[in-house]
């Protein structure tokens, strides 16, 4: 929990962490070869982060059996801190659907798709390629977080099309559409469904967070750090200090909204308090 200068306490739930080993060609933009569960817990403790969603780092030549296994094991060791999602590589088409069944049985709460790194030649709204995966995820009540941004196959519009096609599945646009954040806000206004969420990972201008709140609704904007890439201090402070949001909105973005989305009710008394000014 973080404690603000006025003494308000906020439960902090990070919806976007990459755990495990990185392939050599992936280290340049992350800076570390491996980000283990112990590294994450240490960083969370320092920054007042109570829970974190974790999924594997990019290994697009694999079906993520190894990476997902690592994340599941981390969640088993830290059940009150780490919530597992499975990263799915749609190129392993036949295996994917069975994998989703198995991961759901092992406790994952969502799936992660990365159109840019894992299936760059195919649009994320492909009926033949992606719809079966989403149908299966929906059957298990899993949320679907998708890297969003400028890559042609990961735009807010294509993900909006998925939200229309699968109204009972909740979609989270990682990075809020990135450089296409304006498109995210327009799509959110046009969509008749309420299953279109964003995380703030990498949103660099704190003012954008207030605009996302107005466009999507305060309960559809989520905290996500993209650890190990970005330091917690910036990702939390831009929401809790620099975005000029009221306490209730901050509380929702930092943790309340994702707790509600996943139906998790933590024992908040059991988590440590950290001063916001110290992170
Ligand atoms: Zn990420």
């Amino acid at each position: 929990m973080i404690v603000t200068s006025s003494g308000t306490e906020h439960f902090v739930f990070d919806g976007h962490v990459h755990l495990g080993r990185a392939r050599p060609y992936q280290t340049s933009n992350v800076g570390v070869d491996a980000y283990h569960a112990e590294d994450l817990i240490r960083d969370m403790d320092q920054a007042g982060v109570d829970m974190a969603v974790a999924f594997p780092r990019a290994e697009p030549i694999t079906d993520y059996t190894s990476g997902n296994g690592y994340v599941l094991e981390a969640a088993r060791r830290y059940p009150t801190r780490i919530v597992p999602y499975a990263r799915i590589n749609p190129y392993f088409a036949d295996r994917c659907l069975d994998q989703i069944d198995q991961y759901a049985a092992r406790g994952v709460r969502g799936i992660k798709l990365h159109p840019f790194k894992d299936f760059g030649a195919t649009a994320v709204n492909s009926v033949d390629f992606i719809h079966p995966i989403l149908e299966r995820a929906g059957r298990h009540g899993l949320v679907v977080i998708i890297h969003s941004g400028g890559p042609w196959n990961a735009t807010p519009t294509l993900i909006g099309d998925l939200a229309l096609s699968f109204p009972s599945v909740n979609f989270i646009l990682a990075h809020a559409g990135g450089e296409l954040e304006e498109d995210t806000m327009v799509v959110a206004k046009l969509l008749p469904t309420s299953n279109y969420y964003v995380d703030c990972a990498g949103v660099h201008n704190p003012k954008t967070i207030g605009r996302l709140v107005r466009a999507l609704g305060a309960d559809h904007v989520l905290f996500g750090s993209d650890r190990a890439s970005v330091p917690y201090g910036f990702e939390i402070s831009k929401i809790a200090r620099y975005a000029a949001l009221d306490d209730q909105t901050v509380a929702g973005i930092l943790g309340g909204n994702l707790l509600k989305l996943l139906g998790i009710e933590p024992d908040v008394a059991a988590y440590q308090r950290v001063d916001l000014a110290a992170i």
Side-chain angles (χ1 to χ4, degrees), residues 16-18 55 87 112 114 147 174-175 201 226-227 229:
H16 186 153
V17 168
H18 295 266
F55 37 78
R87 187 164 177 154
K112 165 74 185 272
H114 203 307
H147 175 90
H175 316 295
D226 214 7
R227 293 288 304 142
S229 305

Side-chain angles (χ1 to χ4, degrees), residues 15 53 83-86 108-113 134 137-138 140-146 168-172 197 222 258 260-263:
V53 163
V83 175
Y85 287 6
V108 304
R109 305 300 309 276
I111 63 169
K112 165 74 185 272
L113 297 176
L134 300 177
H140 294 291
L142 305 178
V143 303
V144 178
I145 183 168
I146 303 177
S168 62
V169 174
N170 288 310
F171 293 90
I172 301 167
Y197 293 75
L222 312 172
L258 187 55
K260 193 170 151 204
L261 186 60
L262 296 179

Side-chain angles (χ1 to χ4, degrees), residues 237-261:
S237 296
K238 74 185 185 189
I239 296 165
R241 302 177 81 173
Y242 304 127
L245 302 168
D246 60 73
D247 274 349
Q248 193 184 347
T249 303
V250 170
I253 296 175
L254 283 181
N257 295 342
L258 187 55
L259 288 173
K260 193 170 151 204
L261 186 60

Side-chain angles (χ1 to χ4, degrees), residues 49-122:
V49 177
D50 303 295
M51 301 181 89
V53 163
F55 37 78
R57 297 170 75 174
E59 288 188 288
I61 57 170
T62 78
D63 69 352
Y64 289 105
T65 296
S66 165
N68 289 327
Y70 183 89
V71 168
L72 280 161
E73 172 59 18
R76 191 192 63 74
R77 280 189 289 137
Y78 298 101
T80 62
R81 308 298 300 280
I82 298 177
V83 175
Y85 287 6
R87 187 164 177 154
I88 301 297
N89 187 341
Y91 278 142
F92 293 81
D94 295 341
R95 226 177 287 173
C96 282
L97 304 182
D98 289 342
Q99 281 180 328
I100 292 170
D101 292 341
Q102 289 159 16
Y103 291 139
R106 293 173 70 188
V108 304
R109 305 300 309 276
I111 63 169
K112 165 74 185 272
L113 297 176
H114 203 307
F116 175 47
K117 287 187 174 171
D118 290 343
F119 50 102
T122 306

